[in-house]
Amino acid sequence: MAIQLQRWFLVLAAGLLLSSGLARESHSSERPSADTLLHESLMGLADQEVIVSEVDIPPNTELPWHSHPGAEIFYVLSGTIVLMQRDQADIQSQEGEVRMIPRGVVHSGKTAEDGASLLIVRVHDAGQPERILAEQPRRASDASR
């Protein structure tokens, strides 16, 4: 199932990149930027929608902690990003890698000096916000201070 999902995502990502000419270098800016490429209802699933975005995250940036009202799948177009999730080990993701974040999982991302450009596909409950901000979780290392 996971391999089929990854193949489906890669085919979708390649098609979007080729058809929209998005195969370019990451933007250089002070804030993350996002371009929504697709925001549509899913046929056969009346209460679901799909959102496809390209997100450029500048170097040395930590995103706010948040969750989504649905699953999020991201493909790293360029650079590296560390995926941080509550109560889980951090996962470094680099160009060409795909990650999935389940519905409702509070997470953040952090870039190093190269920043990152991501293609993100979200399958959400229709009409809900794309992201829900959350408080930064306390780390085990914070509790000992």
Side-chain angles (χ1 to χ4, degrees):
M1 176 69 175
I3 292 174
Q4 288 177 343
L5 181 60
Q6 185 174 6
R7 284 185 185 151
W8 174 86
F9 181 78
L10 289 174
V11 168
L12 175 65
L16 284 169
L17 287 172
L18 292 173
S19 67
S20 62
L22 290 174
R24 62 181 188 271
E25 292 185 24
S26 176
H27 301 300
S28 176
S29 63
E30 293 182 16
R31 293 181 169 189
S33 64
D35 293 322
T36 300
L37 306 174
L38 177 71
H39 190 154
E40 294 288 331
S41 298
L42 288 173
M43 290 178 52
L45 298 173
D47 297 334
Q48 297 290 296
E49 61 188 7
V50 64
I51 302 165
V52 180
S53 305
E54 181 186 16
V55 177
D56 292 310
I57 306 169
N60 304 310
T61 299
E62 183 170 333
L63 300 174
W65 287 85
H66 62 281
S67 64
H68 303 281
E72 176 179 68
I73 303 163
F74 69 88
Y75 174 78
V76 183
L77 296 167
S78 65
T80 58
I81 188 164
V82 175
L83 171 62
M84 301 175 293
Q85 300 175 85
R86 281 198 176 154
D87 303 321
Q88 294 189 26
D90 293 348
I91 302 169
Q92 182 166 326
S93 301
Q94 58 193 12
E95 184 175 331
E97 293 186 324
V98 176
R99 302 283 184 226
M100 182 174 151
I101 305 166
R103 167 192 301 270
V105 170
V106 175
H107 63 281
S108 179
K110 179 172 50 175
T111 60
E113 298 202 10
D114 56 349
S117 182
L118 310 174
L119 183 65
I120 299 177
V121 176
R122 297 182 188 99
V123 179
H124 279 196
D125 296 336
Q128 295 298 309
E130 287 189 36
R131 76 190 47 78
I132 301 160
L133 294 179
E135 290 185 28
Q136 181 173 347
R138 292 184 55 121
R139 302 260 186 188
S141 60
D142 295 339
S144 61
R145 291 183 190 173

